[in-house]
Amino acid sequence: MQGNQQGQLIYVVSDSIGETAELVVRAGASQFDRFLFDVQKYPYIEDKESIDEIIASAKESKAMIVFTLVIPELNAYITQQAALHGIPAIDVMGPLMHTLQGMLNEPPTGKPGLVRRLDEEYFRKVDAIEFAVKYDDGRDPRGLLRADVVLIGVSRTSKTPLSMYLANKRLKVANVPLVPEVEPPEELFQLPPERCVGLTINPEQLNGIRTERLKALGLTAQANYANLDRIAEELAYSKKIIERLGCMVIDVSNKAVEETANIILEMIRKNNLRNERK
């Protein structure tokens, strides 16, 4: 491939965004540092008419074509037309998919953009996890209005583990502890009740959980934190706030985090509540 002062023209053609082909082109071009290259992208090509226009332009400009067209009909068409018009053309994905098909005895899906969709799902998960950390334990009430779900309840009702579990399902979750001496943030009462979930628990089980927590911290199990009267007071206060909000209530007594999370996910599925705010 010869270069010139204007740059050797390379068309990157894809039925998705074209990132894969562009990376391959630039990696290859970097090995010819005495030459200039002009890379032009043609993303989201989904019909033969668009390919005809690209072929005509490539022939006139003496460009080569590098393509990732996973739709079989378009892949065959651009290969045929490029050969017919004497245009150098490289199919980046074809040989790999052909080999995989032979190894796996399974045809490819032929759906464009799947890698990009996977990337988007990954970054949504990361974003949700960062959100859960930032708005854990009522740290910043401003996050409540941006959350897909807000969990409320007294201490040790699995709010944080639930938040992280749901974040891994790409939900933005904030949680707020309910303490009798602390008025809940006003943002909590601005939420639609469908976006809030109250967590409650059996007093005796909570007493056992808190007692073990105190022991782990090297503190006496007689502290007010694990006192049954104090626990009853907190749960009564929590019930009052939950009733005021009119939100869904889940008793987490003897429930694994996954079980509670699945109840919440089912609620979201039924109500189509996912908040797409960014």
Side-chain angles (χ1 to χ4, degrees), residues 19 114-125:
E19 289 179 332
L114 294 181
V115 171
R116 180 169 51 85
R117 288 175 205 165
L118 287 173
D119 286 344
E120 287 173 355
E121 289 295 292
Y122 171 77
F123 286 113
R124 281 184 64 185
K125 181 187 290 189

Side-chain angles (χ1 to χ4, degrees), residues 182-202:
V182 181
E183 184 68 20
E186 61 182 27
E187 288 86 352
L188 187 61
F189 300 100
Q190 297 171 19
L191 288 171
E194 304 84 37
R195 293 232 318 269
C196 188
V197 176
L199 304 175
T200 188
I201 190 171
N202 177 278

Side-chain angles (χ1 to χ4, degrees), residues 4 7-11 56-64 87-88:
N4 52 51
Q8 171 62 54
L9 192 58
I10 302 177
Y11 288 173
S57 177
K59 185 174 182 179
E60 181 180 350
S61 305
K62 295 182 171 51
M64 72 174 291
I87 299 168

Side-chain angles (χ1 to χ4, degrees), residues 130-198:
E130 290 178 347
F131 187 94
V133 171
K134 184 175 182 179
Y135 298 110
D136 181 46
D137 206 32
R139 288 176 186 167
D140 186 348
R142 292 173 298 180
L144 301 183
L145 299 178
R146 295 178 51 228
D148 296 313
V149 181
V150 176
L151 307 177
I152 61 173
V154 301
S155 175
R156 312 312 293 178
T157 49
S158 301
K159 295 186 299 300
T160 296
L162 267 172
S163 295
M164 297 308 299
Y165 186 94
L166 292 169
N168 275 279
K169 301 295 183 181
R170 299 176 298 282
L171 285 171
K172 292 182 178 178
V173 185
N175 70 77
V176 177
L178 297 180
V179 183
E181 293 78 15
V182 181
E183 184 68 20
E186 61 182 27
E187 288 86 352
L188 187 61
F189 300 100
Q190 297 171 19
L191 288 171
E194 304 84 37
R195 293 232 318 269
C196 188
V197 176

Side-chain angles (χ1 to χ4, degrees), residues 12 21 26 28 35 49-50 53 60 99 107 111 118 133 135 156 159 188 193 212 220 232 238 245 251 256 266-267:
V12 168
R26 296 197 182 280
F35 296 85
E49 290 75 14
S50 298
E53 293 175 6
E60 181 180 350
T99 301
K111 296 179 181 178
L118 287 173
V133 171
Y135 298 110
R156 312 312 293 178
K159 295 186 299 300
L188 187 61
E212 291 303 315
T220 173
S238 174
L245 291 168
D251 188 339
E266 180 65 13
M267 175 198 76

Side-chain angles (χ1 to χ4, degrees), residues 18-55:
E19 289 179 332
T20 301
E22 184 180 13
L23 284 171
V24 171
V25 167
R26 296 197 182 280
S30 69
Q31 299 298 312
F32 298 88
D33 55 7
R34 292 195 303 111
F35 296 85
L36 299 174
F37 295 89
D38 182 7
V39 180
Q40 295 185 15
K41 285 175 62 176
Y42 293 85
Y44 305 114
I45 300 301
E46 298 179 343
D47 55 75
K48 293 181 179 180
E49 290 75 14
S50 298
I51 291 175
D52 288 338
E53 293 175 6
I54 292 168
I55 291 291

